[in-house]
Structure formats: C-alpha cells, structure tokens
C-alpha cells in the first residue's frame, strides 16, 4: 500500500463526510410539509393565518398552532438532531495510524508506521449504515406524527373552549331562572301562601345553580387559556359549535389507518433497526476492539511492508450477554409493533363508533328532545298564564329545556372530538391512549439520503 493510496483514501473519506448536510430548519419544514400533504389536512401548513379580531375557526386554530407554537418547534428540532446522528452513523469507521521513530537524530534512524482499521466496525459497517437509515426514517415519521398530533390537539382545544363557553352560558341561564324563582318564593313565603319548606328548597336550588355556574365559568376560562397556549395568542371564538357534518367512513377504514399510521411506521423502523443491531452486536462481542492493517518499516532508505494486528484476548467471556440482550431488544421491538397494530385497529373502530353515536345523539336531541322541551315549556306557560300551574313548574320546564341544550352541546363536543381523532388517524396520527417508545438519543434519525 503506497502513500499515494493513503492520501487518496483520506481525501475520499473527507469528501464523503462533507456530502451529508445537516439543516435543522429544513428538516422541520419537511416534516410540516409532509403533515399537510392531504386533501383535508389536520395540520394545515403555509396557509393564510386568521387576522386579529377575526372569529377563530377550528382550521384557523390548527394553522396558528402550527405557525406560532414554540413547543412544536422544540419537538420538531429532534428531526434536525436525528439528521445529525444519521450523518455521523453513515460514515465508515476512521482508520488508526501509529507512527514510531527510533533514533531520530542518529545515523540509523528507523520509521515504523502502522495503519489499522477496526475489523468489527468494517465488517459491520453495512449493517450499521442500514440500521442508521432505519432509525432516520423512524425519526422522520415521528416528526410528521408530532405535527399531526399537535394540530389535532389544537383542534380539540378549540372544540373544548367553544363548548365550555356554551355550557357556561347555559348554566348562567339556569342560575338566572333559579334566582328569579327565589324572589317569587320569598314573596310567597312573606305572604304566608306556601309552606316554609318551599322557600328552603328554592334557596338550596339557587345555591346549587350558582355553584354550577361558577364551575362552568372556571372551566370556560381554563379551556380558553389552554387554547391560547396552543395558538400562542388570544382568539375571538364563535358562540356555538358547528352542527355535525356527514363523515364518510370507508369499509376498509382500519386498513387505511394502518397503512397511513406514522406510529406504526416508527415502530416498524425501530424493529428493523433493532434486528440489524442484533446482527452487528455479534461482531462487536466476538471481535471486540480488533484492528488490522498494513505496516511499513523504513530503515536506511529501504522500506519493508507487513501486516499489523491488535486484538483483545477474550479471557473473560465471548459476549454472550451482549448478544442475548440485543436479541431480546429485537424481539421487544417486534412485539411492540404487533401490539401497536392491534391497538390502532381498536382505536379506529372506537372513533368511528363514537362519531356515529354522537352524531345520532345530537340529531335526536336537536330534532326530538329540544322540540319536546320547547312544547312542554310553551304548554306550561299557557297553564301558568291561566293560573292552572305555579311558578315552580314553569321554571322547572325552563330548566329542562336548558338542560336539553346542555346535553346537545355535550353530544356535539363528543362528535367533534371523535371526528378530529378519526381524521388525524386516517392521516397517520396517534390513536388515543397509545404511546410510542422511541429509541434513545443517538439512535434516532430522519428522511432520505441527500448527497
């Protein structure tokens, strides 16, 4: 092996090191763009943002969260870190050069040079490179998943804030009716036209209504704060949630969700990475720090060549525990993938069922329960005007109508939550309640091989 060859090898390695670029901003933009690559994306990207003072829609909340929220930027920075990890892992191992110069100032100077490369690292390089690519792909899937899940959370926060405001308004109406009934009860009690128990009952009802109204106002305030954190700003919300729209659920919804699932893609990449890691762990445990390469001895103007090898003596074990641990981790990753697949099937089935149930419940309340409560209130009002019923019956009828309205808001909120979860899962998002055990730092990576 000549010096020219060594120089050429060094130049080639330097060129290889420089061809893999790392750009954290580009990785973040790539993840956001991929998350928005749908006809009706959960995570809208690069769209006009709502203007100040404009009533905020659900789509607007998702767009603002994507554009403004620093927590999402912090999450997506992992994509850039994974790119850097992949850029390091894709390079071949560095050679080791050992120089020894004997008698440098004397007449018989001797230069001894060894050039060695780690044998296990060289033999396992294809497997390490493939494992790094698998981890890189898994990290990109997780980055896109983070964007979709974050946007879905922003949409749910919008639904909760609007629904909480509606509930607070309805509870305020119930409180007002209770306070009005209390005034009447006090007048009747003063006139001595009713037992004292009636006044005590109405006082208790009014206090309970006041407690419920306070709880509803607090819940609305907290829901509004949660939304403001998600969109990194304040928002003007609509008065009510939109009525349920027809959601077309394909027969093969579960299969489509599995095909699109980013958590499943990440788990698949991790299973592949773990399987390949189990392969090169065998080389590492058997060969250890073995190094081999050419040796040069220059003395008196003459050069002699040979082979140099350094290796660990396996006196205290042949690496059985390391190989067993790697195989266990590979089986863990495979089992995690299988379990996640079953959880996704169950989750998509549950969300479809929730959409259908909540939509039907909202229709029933809107078309049957609310009209029935209105008829009851109208009939009670006529009897009250004819002095055939008392004020308590009238207020009970009013409260029944308000309670029906509150039940409608609850059904609407359940419908929209299920719709958002279904839409997110069909675009690759996480099923509710499922957590992905990502690889530890240094094992992740993201996207394709850019050269």
């Amino acid at each position: 092996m000549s010096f020219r060859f060594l120089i050429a090898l060094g130049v080639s390695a330097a060129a290889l090191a420089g061809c893999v670029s790392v750009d954290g901003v580009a990785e973040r933009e790539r993840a956001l763009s991929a998350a928005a690559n749908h006809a009706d994306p959960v995570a809208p990207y690069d769209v006009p943002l709502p203007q100040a003072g404009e009533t905020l829609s659900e789509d607007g909340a998702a767009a603002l969260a994507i554009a403004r929220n620093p927590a999402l930027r912090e999450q997506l920075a992992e994509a850039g870190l994974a790119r850097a990890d992949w850029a390091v892992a894709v390079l071949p191992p560095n050679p080791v050069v050992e120089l020894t110069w004997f008698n440098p100032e004397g007449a018989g100077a001797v230069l001894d040079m060894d050039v060695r490369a780690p044998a296990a690292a060289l033999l396992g390089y294809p497997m390490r490179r493939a494992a790094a690519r698998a981890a890189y792909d898994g990290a990109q899937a997780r980055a896109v998943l983070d964007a979709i899940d974050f946007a879905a959370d922003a949409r749910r926060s919008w639904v909760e804030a609007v629904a909480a405001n509606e509930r607070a308004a309805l509870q305020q109406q119930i409180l007002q009716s209770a306070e009005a009934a209390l005034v009447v009860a006090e007048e009747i009690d003063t006139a001595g036209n009713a037992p004292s128990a009636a006044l005590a009952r109405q006082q208790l009802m009014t206090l309970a209504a006041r407690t419920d109204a306070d709880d509803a106002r607090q819940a609305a305030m907290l829901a509004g704060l949660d939304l403001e954190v998600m969109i990194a700003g304040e928002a003007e919300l609509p008065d009510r949630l939109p009525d349920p729209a027809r959601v077309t659920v394909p027969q093969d919804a579960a299969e489509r969700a599995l095909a699109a699932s980013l958590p499943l893609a990440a788990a698949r990449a991790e299973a592949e990475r773990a399987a390949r890691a189990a392969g090169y762990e065998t080389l590492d445990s058997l060969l250890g720090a073995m190094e081999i390469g050419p040796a040069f001895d220059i003395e008196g103007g003459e050069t002699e060549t040979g082979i140099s090898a350094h290796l660990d003596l396996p006196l205290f074990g042949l690496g059985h525990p390391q190989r067993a641990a790697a195989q266990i981790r590979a089986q863990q990753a495979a089992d995690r993938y299988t379990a996640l697949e079953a959880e996704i099937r169950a989750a998509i089935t549950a969300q479809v069922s929730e959409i259908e149930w909540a939509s039907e419940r909202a229709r029933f309340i809107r078309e049957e329960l609310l009209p029935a409560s209105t008829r009851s209130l109208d009939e009670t009002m006529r009897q009250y005007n004819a002095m055939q019923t008392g004020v308590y019956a009238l207020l009970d009828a009013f409260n029944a109508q308000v309670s029906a309205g509150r039940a409608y808001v609850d059904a609407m909120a359940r419908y929209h939550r299920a719709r958002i979860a279904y839409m997110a899962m069909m675009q690759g998002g996480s099923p509710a309640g499922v957590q992905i055990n990502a690889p530890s730092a240094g094992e992740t990576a993201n996207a394709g091989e850019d050269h």
Side-chain angles (χ1 to χ4, degrees):
M1 181 181 295
S2 67
F3 285 104
R4 291 183 179 179
F5 179 79
L6 293 176
I7 294 174
L9 182 63
V11 171
S12 300
L16 180 62
C19 73
V20 182
S21 61
V22 178
D23 187 341
V25 175
E27 294 296 331
R28 182 176 71 241
E29 298 301 312
R30 180 181 301 177
L32 292 175
S33 178
N37 189 24
H38 300 276
D40 185 21
V42 172
Y45 171 64
D46 198 19
V47 298
L49 299 179
Q51 300 299 312
E54 179 181 344
T55 300
L56 185 65
S57 66
E58 180 188 311
D59 288 340
L64 286 177
I66 290 292
R68 291 181 179 176
N69 196 288
L72 178 61
R73 290 199 299 271
E74 183 270 335
Q75 282 182 281
L76 297 184
E78 292 296 326
L81 294 176
R83 176 70 176 178
D85 291 338
W86 180 83
V88 172
V90 79
L91 299 175
N94 290 321
V96 177
V97 178
E98 183 176 320
L99 294 173
T100 306
W101 195 355
F102 297 100
N103 195 24
E105 298 180 356
V110 178
L111 175 62
D112 183 78
M113 179 175 69
D114 296 347
V115 180
R116 299 187 304 273
L122 281 177
L123 293 174
Y125 172 67
M127 288 183 286
R128 290 179 187 275
R129 182 185 175 96
R133 176 57 191 269
Y136 188 65
D137 291 342
Q140 182 177 8
R142 281 187 293 275
V144 180
L145 173 65
D146 286 341
I148 290 177
D149 285 351
F150 196 90
D153 286 342
R155 290 175 180 272
R156 281 188 283 266
S157 292
W158 180 88
V159 168
E160 295 302 329
V162 176
N165 285 342
E166 284 194 81
R167 294 189 191 99
L170 291 169
Q171 287 298 150
Q172 187 63 30
Q173 292 183 42
I174 291 177
L175 175 60
Q176 291 173 353
S177 70
E179 290 174 339
L182 179 59
V183 172
V184 174
E186 289 172 344
E187 293 176 351
I188 294 175
D189 182 74
T190 301
N193 295 329
S196 58
L199 176 59
R201 170 178 173 271
Q202 190 56 45
Q203 288 173 335
L204 179 60
M205 291 178 61
T206 303
L207 291 174
R210 185 173 301 157
T211 300
D212 290 342
D214 287 343
D215 290 344
R217 281 195 297 270
Q218 181 69 4
M221 188 273 292
L222 294 176
L225 284 177
D226 181 68
L227 177 61
E228 290 177 8
V229 169
M230 295 295 294
I231 65 174
E234 297 181 353
E236 184 70 26
L237 297 177
D239 294 331
R240 59 188 302 273
L241 291 170
D243 291 332
R246 181 175 180 79
V247 177
T248 302
V249 178
Q251 293 292 329
D252 59 344
E255 299 303 323
R256 293 191 185 189
L258 287 171
S261 176
L262 292 166
L264 202 60
R268 186 185 304 112
E270 169 60 9
E272 180 181 350
R273 186 206 66 80
R276 294 184 183 276
Y280 62 69
E281 181 61 45
T282 299
L283 293 172
D284 286 348
S285 61
L286 290 177
L287 298 180
M290 179 179 178
E291 298 173 351
I292 188 169
F296 304 89
D297 185 82
I298 304 174
E299 182 177 0
E302 296 182 1
T303 302
E304 295 183 0
T305 61
I307 297 176
S308 174
H310 288 202
L311 66 155
D312 295 337
L313 294 178
L315 298 180
F316 305 107
L318 294 175
H320 295 91
Q322 297 94 313
R323 293 195 295 278
Q327 291 168 1
I328 291 171
R329 282 191 285 269
Q331 186 60 50
Q332 269 187 322
D335 291 340
R336 189 180 303 122
Y337 175 85
T338 303
L340 179 59
E341 187 176 26
E343 290 173 358
I344 290 173
R345 288 183 183 276
I348 197 70
T349 301
Q351 297 302 339
V352 169
S353 176
E354 183 76 355
I355 288 174
E356 295 173 349
W357 178 90
S359 180
E360 175 58 27
R361 174 59 60 89
R363 185 207 62 78
F364 168 76
I365 296 174
R366 182 178 62 251
E367 297 179 5
E368 299 186 38
L369 183 57
L370 279 173
S373 66
T374 300
R375 290 193 299 270
S376 174
L377 178 60
D378 292 343
E379 182 62 28
T380 304
M381 178 65 74
R382 282 192 291 270
Q383 293 181 2
Y384 175 74
N385 291 336
M387 302 184 69
Q388 295 176 348
T389 189
V391 66
Y392 296 127
L394 176 62
L395 293 174
D396 286 343
F398 172 77
N399 290 345
Q401 186 183 45
V402 174
S403 296
R406 188 171 52 196
Y408 181 69
V409 173
D410 292 342
M412 292 284 289
R414 290 184 64 169
Y415 163 80
H416 285 292
R417 284 194 294 268
R419 174 185 58 79
I420 292 167
Y422 169 79
M423 186 166 61
M425 287 184 62
M426 294 303 288
Q427 294 176 14
S430 296
V434 175
Q435 295 181 349
I436 305 302
N437 293 322
S440 60
E443 296 179 342
T444 57
N446 198 348
E449 298 184 12
D450 297 337
H451 296 290

